[in-house]
């Protein structure tokens, strides 16, 4: 009790009693990212070091060879790697943009509008938080086929637009926006679209950023749509390509390319998250389920 | 008599609403606008979440091979379920025990780990906290493909694998251990990898929850006679952040079942060697997309959804706020 500033939750200053937490957290944190450092090292290793026994963790002569080879590689059917990367960029961007729009619209309606099914929709969505898509992969496949989406770019996008977690987070965040603000805008003659784009949207930016990150992670890393819905090799995504690359390339030479591909996949994830971390934490403080 | 009835009709709630609508067409316009706002999500949600679940339940009572129309299954449609629970040796001997073991360790285990880490992080200063939290969160954003790549090389079954190289170097083993293909260690490695990547969005939610607890709560609690950190956690911290605890729990459950593909990613084959890492998700894939017994696979899906629902119910019982 003596030094409450240093020993309380979210301390403002250092206190020796915090040492025990650092002693635990720092090693654990290091172990957690060790495999990531390993991929980074692997990606920059020249062929000679990849073959080395015993394998070394730290690269001594870093080189960009693996990346050069990665960008020159093509799949067994002759589709260049850059094509997959391009597909992934298009698919991911479109999915995120549409997801954000749909989520914001629905979140606003569920939070600020009055209608009969409001409670029902919200609680169904809350139940769907535990939805595991892989569990119903077959009926989902039948729906995608039934809609005629198979083998199109839309098959990468449309099935993933409804994101229960995203809607949940955005709705919780919009709940914090005072009703008076929206009433005032209405009196000034704003319609829902104006309110959404000019008032609610900008105010809930942290939640939108969080949804963008989650959606990005899901789509960018997903191989499901390429595996199941899309047959045409030129329409498949980078995550899928990487999966075939690593599955087929046994041996150190392949491992180097795989690590380089892994890094290309991972860096955007990391960069976006670091930039948005503050927003994410902001959103998470309203994430509780009551 | 007739007059009072008329008065009552005029004074009723429905009449008021009706009059309000006649007087103000903007109310109708507002309703239309709300419907437009909701339409896209409701449509997409129904198509890709509700219909698949309902269809899975429907198909589970049929024989369906993906080509012919589904035929109602024998034994009042329960044939698939009866086969799963009595005849499917792989399911009963491997898949079910594996799934339970995996889910029970990685679900509650990952959850407890996330809470513990979040709590410790809340005890240190903001700047280092931010970076350590990032390190803990990083594995969860790698995605299945990359996790497969990393751990396939680390646990590679020849001497070029890092773990084997270390074990050989220290003289703990004489020949490289076949970690991923022999089936002896696959489950342990899967559990390790899943726990490693379990500090995701639920973890961030709990961290934010702990940091948001009003400081005065703790001061008051100490005045009221709380003596140590353990009491503080159980009497103040957890009760004050129940909503985040629940969100974290739901995310942990979903994470545990979603990560089911990890065994296949590590070993490179479905079924996994000697069914050692075979989880119910892989069993569904095996029947649905390899053998095209889709009715059977759908019945397995329904069982999985029920298991998930059951675990979530427990979480809601523990942390939900009862009205």
């Amino acid at each position: 009790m003596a030094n409450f500033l240093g020993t309380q939750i979210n301390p403002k200053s250092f206190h020796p009693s915090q040492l025990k937490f650092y002693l635990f957290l720092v090693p654990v944190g290091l172990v957690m990212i060790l495999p990531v450092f390993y991929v980074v090292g692997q990606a920059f290793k020249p062929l000679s070091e990849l073959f080395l026994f015993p394998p070394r963790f730290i690269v001594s002569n870093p080189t960009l060879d693996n990346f050069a080879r990665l960008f020159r590689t093509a799949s067994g059917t002759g589709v260049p790697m850059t094509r997959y990367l391009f597909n992934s960029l298009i698919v991911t961007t479109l999915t995120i943009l549409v997801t954000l729009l749909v989520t914001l619209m629905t979140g606003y309606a569920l939070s600020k509008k009055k209608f009969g099914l409001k409670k029902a929709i919200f609680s169904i969505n809350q139940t769907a938080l535990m939805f595991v898509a892989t569990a119903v992969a077959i009926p989902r496949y039948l729906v995608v086929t039934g809609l005629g989406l198979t083998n199109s770019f839309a098959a990468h996008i449309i099935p993933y637009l409804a994101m229960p977690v995203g809607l949940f987070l955005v709705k919780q965040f919009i709940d914090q926006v005072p009703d008076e603000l929206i009433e005032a805008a209405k009196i000034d003659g704003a319609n829902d679209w104006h309110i959404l784009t000019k008032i609610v949207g900008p105010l809930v930016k942290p939640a939108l950023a969080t949804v963008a990150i989650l959606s990005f992670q899901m789509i960018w890393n997903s191989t499901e749509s390429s595996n199941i819905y899309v047959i045409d090799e030129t329409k498949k995504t980078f995550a899928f390509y990487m999966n075939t690359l690593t599955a087929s390339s046994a041996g150190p030479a392949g491992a180097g390319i795989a690590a380089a591909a892994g890094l290309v996949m991972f860096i955007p994830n990391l960069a976006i998250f670091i930039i948005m971390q503050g927003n994410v934490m902001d959103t998470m403080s309203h994430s509780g389920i009551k | 008599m007739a007059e009072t009835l008329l008065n009552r009709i005029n004074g009723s709630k429905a009449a008021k609403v009706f009059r309000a609508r006649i007087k103000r067409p903007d109310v109708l316009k507002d309703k239309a606008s709300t419907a437009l706002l909701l339409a896209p999500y409701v449509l997409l949600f129904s198509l890709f979440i509700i219909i698949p679940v309902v269809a899975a339940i429907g198909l589970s009572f049929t024989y369906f091979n993906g080509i012919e129309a589904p035929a109602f299954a024998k034994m009042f449609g329960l044939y698939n379920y009866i086969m799963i629970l009595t005849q499917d040796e792989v399911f009963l001997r491997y898949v079910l025990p594996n799934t339970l073991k995996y889910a029970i360790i990685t679900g509650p285990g990952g959850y407890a780990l996330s809470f513990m880490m979040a709590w410790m992080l809340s005890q240190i200063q903001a700047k280092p906290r931010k970076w350590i939290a990032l390190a803990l969160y990083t594995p969860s954003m790698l995605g299945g493909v990359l996790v497969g790549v990393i751990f396939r090389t680390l646990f590679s079954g020849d001497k070029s694998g890092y773990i084997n190289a270390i074990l050989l170097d220290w003289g703990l083993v004489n020949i490289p251990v076949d970690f991923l293909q022999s089936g002896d260690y696959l489950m342990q490695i899967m559990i390790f990898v899943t726990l490693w990547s379990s500090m995701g969005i639920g973890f961030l939610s709990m961290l934010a929850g702990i940091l948001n607890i009003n400081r005065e709560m703790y001061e008051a609690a100490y005045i009221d006679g709380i003596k140590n950190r353990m009491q503080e956690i159980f009497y103040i911290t957890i009760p004050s952040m129940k909503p985040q605890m629940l969100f974290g729990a739901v995310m942990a459950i979903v994470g545990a079942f979603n990560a089911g593909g990890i065994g296949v990613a590590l070993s490179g084959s479905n079924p996994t060697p000697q069914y050692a890492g075979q989880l119910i998700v892989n069993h569904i894939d095996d029947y649905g997309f390899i053998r095209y017994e889709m009715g059977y696979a759908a019945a397995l899906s329904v069982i999985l959804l029920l298991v998930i629902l059951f675990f979530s119910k427990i979480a809601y019982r523990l942390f939900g706020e009862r009205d």
Side-chain angles (χ1 to χ4, degrees), chain B residues 191-237:
Chain B
I191 289 173
F192 171 77
V193 171
T194 309
L195 285 177
W196 172 73
S197 59
S198 65
M199 265 155 278
I201 159 172
F203 158 74
L204 294 180
S205 168
M206 287 194 277
L207 178 56
I210 299 176
L211 292 174
N212 271 354
I213 296 171
N214 193 340
R215 214 158 268 162
E216 284 156 21
M217 295 276 284
Y218 291 98
E219 290 170 29
Y222 274 95
I223 291 166
D224 282 350
I226 274 190
K227 285 180 199 67
N228 55 39
R229 282 293 166 91
M230 260 344 223
Q231 289 185 342
E232 187 188 296
I233 291 178
F234 285 106
Y235 291 118
I236 306 295
T237 312

Side-chain angles (χ1 to χ4, degrees), chain B residues 155-173:
Chain B
F155 285 103
S156 172
D158 51 41
K159 58 182 184 171
S160 75
Y162 279 69
I163 308 291
N164 268 319
I166 292 169
L167 291 178
L168 288 168
D169 192 41
W170 290 352
L172 292 174
V173 293

Side-chain angles (χ1 to χ4, degrees), chain A residues 38-114:
Chain A
Y38 154 78
V39 180
V40 177
Q42 201 82 342
F44 290 101
K45 275 181 185 172
L47 216 49
S48 57
E49 277 182 62
L50 286 166
F51 279 114
L52 218 57
F53 179 80
R56 268 197 221 133
F57 203 85
I58 293 158
V59 49
S60 35
N61 297 307
T63 158
L64 288 174
D65 277 3
N66 290 319
F67 292 92
R69 282 192 294 147
L70 170 69
F71 278 87
R72 280 201 310 267
T73 54
S75 69
T77 48
V79 180
M81 168 277 196
T82 40
R83 173 71 204 227
Y84 296 100
L85 198 56
F86 172 78
N87 290 350
S88 269
L89 284 174
I90 299 276
V91 165
T92 313
T93 317
L94 281 176
T95 311
I96 291 177
L97 289 179
V98 182
T99 302
L100 285 181
L101 181 67
V102 170
T103 312
L104 182 63
M105 280 162 55
T106 321
Y108 167 62
L110 283 183
S111 176
K112 298 297 178 200
K113 295 282 184 178
K114 290 190 183 74

Side-chain angles (χ1 to χ4, degrees), chain A residues 21 43 47 53 81 90-91 96-97 108 142 144-146 150 181 183 198 214 216 223 227 236 239 258 261-262 277:
Chain A
F21 298 119
L47 216 49
F53 179 80
M81 168 277 196
I90 299 276
V91 165
I96 291 177
L97 289 179
Y108 167 62
L142 298 176
V144 171
T145 321
T150 358
L181 206 60
E183 288 303 323
K198 298 271 155 56
L214 294 177
F216 178 87
T223 52
N227 270 333
K236 295 192 174 191
Q277 193 172 6

Side-chain angles (χ1 to χ4, degrees), chain A residues 1 4 7-14 18 21-22 24-26 28-29 31-33 35-36 38-39 42 45 53-57 102 105-106 108-110 113-115 121 124-144 147 149 158-159 161-165 167-169 186 192 196 213-214 217 221 223 228 239 242-243 246-247 255 258-259 262-263 265-266 269-270 273-274 277 280-281 284-290, chain B residues 30-31 33-34 36-38 40-42 44-45 47-53 55-56 59 64 116-117 119-126 128-146 149-154 159-162 165 168 195-197 199 201 204-205 207-212 215 218-219 222 229 232 237 242-244 246-247 250-251 254 257-258 281 284-285 288-289 294 297-298 301 304-305 308-309 312 316 321:
Chain A
M1 274 291 277
F4 221 79
T7 56
Q8 66 196 352
I9 292 260
N10 197 3
K12 294 277 173 286
S13 62
F14 181 76
Q18 290 172 21
F21 298 119
Y22 281 108
F24 186 82
L25 285 170
V26 172
V28 170
V31 169
M32 295 294 279
I33 41 170
V36 179
Y38 154 78
V39 180
Q42 201 82 342
K45 275 181 185 172
F53 179 80
R56 268 197 221 133
F57 203 85
V102 170
M105 280 162 55
T106 321
Y108 167 62
L110 283 183
K113 295 282 184 178
K114 290 190 183 74
F115 55 94
I121 294 180
I124 290 173
N125 189 66
Q126 192 163 311
T127 312
L129 286 182
M130 36 188 142
F131 175 71
V132 175
T134 44
V136 288
I138 292 149
R140 257 164 90 101
Y141 169 77
L142 298 176
V143 171
V144 171
L147 293 173
L149 296 176
I158 294 176
L161 291 175
M163 199 176 152
V165 181
L167 174 60
F168 176 76
L169 292 174
K186 271 189 192 154
D192 277 336
L196 212 54
I213 290 180
L214 294 177
Q217 283 171 9
N221 292 329
T223 52
I228 308 177
M242 204 188 129
N243 208 19
T246 54
L263 217 53
M265 276 201 67
F266 172 61
N269 255 329
L270 184 70
F273 184 75
I274 290 180
Q277 193 172 6
V280 175
M281 291 313 289
M284 286 305 154
S285 35
H286 307 297
S287 66
I289 303 176
K290 281 186 183 141
Chain B
D30 192 59
K31 289 273 174 216
S33 177
T34 306
L36 270 179
L37 287 171
L38 287 169
Y41 188 84
V42 170
L44 291 163
F45 185 87
L47 273 175
F48 296 101
I49 295 178
I50 293 182
I51 291 178
V53 171
L59 282 176
F64 182 41
M116 209 174 82
M117 289 298 163
W119 183 78
M120 285 194 181
L121 281 171
S122 73
Q123 309 292 319
I124 64 173
Q125 287 159 273
R129 182 199 305 138
K130 190 181 155 189
W131 290 104
I132 299 175
L134 178 66
L136 297 179
Y137 180 77
T138 299
S140 77
M141 64 174 135
L142 291 175
V145 181
L146 194 48
V149 173
I150 294 174
F151 285 94
R152 263 205 316 251
T153 5
L154 285 179
K159 58 182 184 171
S160 75
Y162 279 69
L168 288 168
L195 285 177
W196 172 73
S197 59
M199 265 155 278
I201 159 172
L204 294 180
S205 168
L207 178 56
I210 299 176
L211 292 174
N212 271 354
R215 214 158 268 162
Y218 291 98
E219 290 170 29
Y222 274 95
R229 282 293 166 91
E232 187 188 296
T237 312
K242 268 188 172 178
Q244 275 88 3
L246 183 51
F247 182 75
V250 171
M251 290 298 117
V254 174
F257 287 99
N258 248 338
V281 172
I284 294 172
D285 268 358
F289 291 110
M294 295 197 174
S301 302
L304 173 59
L305 290 176
I308 296 174
L309 201 63
S312 303
Y316 272 87
E321 279 169 19

